[in-house]
């Protein structure tokens, strides 16, 4: 949820954020009214409870012949306290429901609008030019014996696939390269659960308007994750984390699942938009004041990966209406895909500020600036996430580095992970 103090003290900031996202601004006023009602209900309950406590002492001191009448009054008062407590609880639930309709407050400078309203920040690398008609990644993958969509569909249905032979090795090489990048930059590697409880999925913000994209196992009431962000965000649920030595940085390697609801007819060829893929996801817990600098650090790591792989790409500042409920700012990096003549998303990295941490009750204890020894009040941490490698990268690698005979030059940085192999050769 958003910061309730921000909503009370600066509701106009929240209104502007909702408007930039294209959301209903009246949700802000509804939340403020629900908060006022909750506070009034809580005050009424506390007043009655104080009266009950005082009356209880009076009953205890009363003469025996007066106690029967006083006990009857005490019972009536107890019933009123119970009703007031129920009203306060219902008012608190109403506040939670109202706040749930307000998405994370966007950071100043995030472009307003929807999917098409992003701002391009920079382009890096040269778009490849070919002296022949380039093949798309699926045709190359079939020539190399690396991708088998037909049998993927036979076994599991549309948008499933097999990576085999050099295709499987290429993905593992890519993921290991990313893992080394993460290790060299202070991340703790994690193999995470890919089934999570509803409160974890809800806490990360994935059960909002895009809930239909998430797979749910009804019998077990568990969700299949679409990113390691979800279990990593839940890892420190209901905890006070120690940030005295700096941010906590994790790199989660997992299989990911997405139903791709609403994407029928889009990218049906190949492995661009599929139901299952692998990903190495960076996830960071840090102090709120350090979050924006950490965000840029994650983007820099992603750019180092793509540059090392020889891919041309651009970095975009995603518009508010395309952020998702949890992100306050998101940068996407899109690589050039030659046969599509377009940049396609390979990475996203989001600054979720304290939104997820408030929902999952993950806090830290700030250091006393005066150097005192008294423990300070805990505060929500900031969380960030970003892709460091995923299956889709194979699309850009194969198409960018293809040669006329169907072979593919292996980027030099990947060769050690492929036993020194410098060219992927077509099958005989």
């Amino acid at each position: 949820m958003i910061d309730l103090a921000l909503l009370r003290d600066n509701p106009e900031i929240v209104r502007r954020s909702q408007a930039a996202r294209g959301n209903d601004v009246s949700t802000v006023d509804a939340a403020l009214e629900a908060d006022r009602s909750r506070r009034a209900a809580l005050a009424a309950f506390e007043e009655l409870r104080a009266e009950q406590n005082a009356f209880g002492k009076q009953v205890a001191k009363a003469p025996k012949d007066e106690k029967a009448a006083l006990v009857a009054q005490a019972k009536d008062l107890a019933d009123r306290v119970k009703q007031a407590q129920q009203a306060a609880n219902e008012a608190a639930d109403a506040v939670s429901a109202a706040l749930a309709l307000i998405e994370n407050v966007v950071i100043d400078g995030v472009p307003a609008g929807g999917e098409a309203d992003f701002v391009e920040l920079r382009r890096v690398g040269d778009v490849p030019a070919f002296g022949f008609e380039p093949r798309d990644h699926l045709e190359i993958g079939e020539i190399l014996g690396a991708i088998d969509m037909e049998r993927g569909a036979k076994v599991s249905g549309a948008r499933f696939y097999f990576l085999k032979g050099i295709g499987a090795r290429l993905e593992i090489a890519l993921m290991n390269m990313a893992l080394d990048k993460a290790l060299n930059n202070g991340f703790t590697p994690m193999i995470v659960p890919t089934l999570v409880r509803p409160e974890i999925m809800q806490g990360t913000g994935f059960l909002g308007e895009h809930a239909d994209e998430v797979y749910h196992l009804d019998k077990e009431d568990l969700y299949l994750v679409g990113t390691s962000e979800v279990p990593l965000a839940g890892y420190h649920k209901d905890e006070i984390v120690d940030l005295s030595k700096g941010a906590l940085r994790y790199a989660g390697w997992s299989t990911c699942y997405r139903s791709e609801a609403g994407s029928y007819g889009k990218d049906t060829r190949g492995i661009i938009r599929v139901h299952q893929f692998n990903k190495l996801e960076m996830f960071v817990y840090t102090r709120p004041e350090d979050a924006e600098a950490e965000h840029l650090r994650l983007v820099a790591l992603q750019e180092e990966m793509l540059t090392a792989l020889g891919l041309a790409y651009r970095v975009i500042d995603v518009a508010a209406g395309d952020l998702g409920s949890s992100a306050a700012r998101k940068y996407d990096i899109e690589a050039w895909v030659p046969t599509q003549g377009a940049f396609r998303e390979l990475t996203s990295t989001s600054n979720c500020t304290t939104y997820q941490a408030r929902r999952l009750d993950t806090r830290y204890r700030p250091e006393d600036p005066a150097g005192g020894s008294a423990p300070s009040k805990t505060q929500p941490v900031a969380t960030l996430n970003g892709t460091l490698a995923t299956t889709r990268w194979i699309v850009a690698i194969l198409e960018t580095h293809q040669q006329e005979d169907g072979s593919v030059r292996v980027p030099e940085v990947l060769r050690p992970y492929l036993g020194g192999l410098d060219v992927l050769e077509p099958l005989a």
Side-chain angles (χ1 to χ4, degrees):
M1 298 180 185
I2 66 166
D3 184 353
L4 194 51
L6 175 66
L7 178 67
R8 292 169 181 165
D9 299 339
N10 295 287
E12 194 53 41
I13 291 176
V14 186
R15 290 190 185 95
R16 286 200 302 269
S17 175
Q18 287 287 88
R21 287 177 173 273
N23 293 340
D24 186 356
V25 176
S26 70
T27 54
V28 178
D29 295 315
L32 286 168
E33 180 56 36
D35 180 48
R36 283 190 287 267
S37 297
R38 182 193 66 83
R39 285 189 283 175
L42 184 60
F45 163 64
E46 290 177 344
E47 183 178 346
L48 275 172
R49 188 168 59 177
E51 182 181 341
Q52 182 186 37
N53 291 337
F55 193 76
K57 294 177 182 177
Q58 181 182 339
V59 172
K61 295 177 181 178
K64 187 175 182 180
D65 60 341
E66 297 178 10
K67 279 194 174 182
L70 291 174
V71 167
Q73 293 180 48
K75 184 178 183 304
D76 177 65
L77 185 55
D79 289 340
R80 290 163 57 201
V81 169
K82 185 177 180 180
Q83 292 170 4
Q85 184 175 25
Q86 182 177 346
N89 291 341
E90 290 173 353
D93 290 341
V95 170
S96 295
L99 288 175
L101 299 177
I102 301 176
E103 297 182 327
N104 200 1
V105 176
V106 299
I107 293 170
D108 286 344
V110 171
E115 184 178 0
D117 298 310
F118 63 85
V119 171
E120 184 176 314
L121 301 178
R122 57 187 170 275
R123 294 191 180 195
V124 178
D126 297 323
V127 169
F130 302 95
F132 57 92
E133 185 67 29
R135 300 175 174 89
D136 74 7
H137 73 279
L138 181 54
E139 185 178 355
I140 299 168
E142 290 171 341
I143 291 171
L144 298 176
I147 303 172
D148 192 333
M149 299 295 299
E150 183 178 347
R151 289 186 176 88
K154 178 178 70 174
V155 170
S156 301
R159 301 192 189 226
F160 287 94
Y161 58 95
F162 283 89
L163 291 182
K164 63 176 186 175
I166 195 60
R169 291 181 62 196
L170 183 59
E171 180 173 274
I172 293 169
L174 183 61
M175 298 289 281
N176 275 313
M177 173 188 166
L179 183 59
D180 280 350
K181 171 67 74 173
L183 288 169
N184 291 335
N185 284 276
F187 287 79
T188 300
M190 304 277 274
I191 302 295
V192 304
T194 56
L195 286 166
V196 300
R197 293 178 172 179
E199 60 267 28
I200 303 299
M201 190 66 80
Q202 179 69 43
T204 51
F206 281 87
L207 292 185
E209 60 184 82
H210 298 296
D212 59 347
E213 297 177 11
V214 181
Y215 287 110
H216 182 239
L217 279 65
D218 293 330
K219 182 179 178 181
E220 295 81 3
D221 195 19
L222 292 171
Y223 288 90
L224 281 166
V225 301
T227 168
S228 294
E229 172 193 346
V230 177
L232 290 174
Y235 187 65
H236 288 299
K237 182 181 184 298
D238 300 325
E239 294 182 22
I240 300 172
V241 298
D242 182 6
L243 299 181
S244 61
K245 296 180 181 178
L248 300 178
R249 300 183 176 97
Y250 300 110
W253 188 335
S254 76
T255 301
C256 307
Y257 303 89
R258 296 182 186 177
S259 72
E260 294 293 347
S263 66
Y264 298 104
K266 297 179 181 178
D267 295 321
T268 55
R269 180 172 168 81
I271 60 172
I272 290 181
R273 195 185 295 268
V274 291
H275 293 309
Q276 176 184 324
F277 54 94
N278 287 311
K279 183 157 67 116
L280 189 73
E281 182 80 358
M282 300 177 287
F283 194 89
V284 179
Y285 294 87
T286 192
R287 300 182 305 174
E289 61 267 31
D290 296 335
E292 291 192 53
E294 185 70 21
H295 199 185
L296 296 178
R297 183 175 184 270
L298 298 183
V299 174
L301 293 174
Q302 293 169 330
E303 290 195 70
E304 288 172 12
M305 284 285 294
L306 295 178
T307 298
L309 291 167
L311 301 178
Y313 64 86
R314 69 178 180 181
V315 182
I316 65 171
D317 194 356
V318 176
D322 197 32
L323 289 177
S325 62
S326 297
R329 179 168 233 151
K330 180 168 71 170
Y331 297 114
D332 281 357
I333 303 181
E334 302 178 334
W336 182 258
V337 177
T339 60
Q340 295 195 7
F343 290 100
R344 300 303 305 271
E345 178 198 328
L346 290 197
T347 80
S348 286
T349 180
S350 299
N351 179 0
C352 296
T353 59
T354 60
Y355 184 86
Q356 293 177 330
R358 291 178 189 280
R359 295 160 71 99
L360 293 167
D361 194 26
T362 307
R363 295 157 289 145
Y364 78 110
R365 199 177 299 281
E367 296 179 14
D368 184 351
S373 58
S376 55
K377 184 178 179 181
T378 61
Q379 297 179 15
V381 300
T383 61
L384 301 98
N385 63 82
T387 310
L388 200 54
T390 189
T391 303
R392 187 184 287 188
W393 289 29
I394 293 173
V395 173
I397 291 171
L398 293 181
E399 292 205 16
T400 296
H401 299 300
Q402 66 178 291
Q403 301 184 108
E404 189 170 7
D405 64 354
S407 64
V408 176
R409 287 178 292 103
V410 178
E412 188 172 348
V413 71
L414 269 182
R415 293 173 189 174
Y417 300 96
L418 289 168
L421 195 63
D422 57 357
V423 175
L424 309 182
E425 298 285 357
L427 294 181

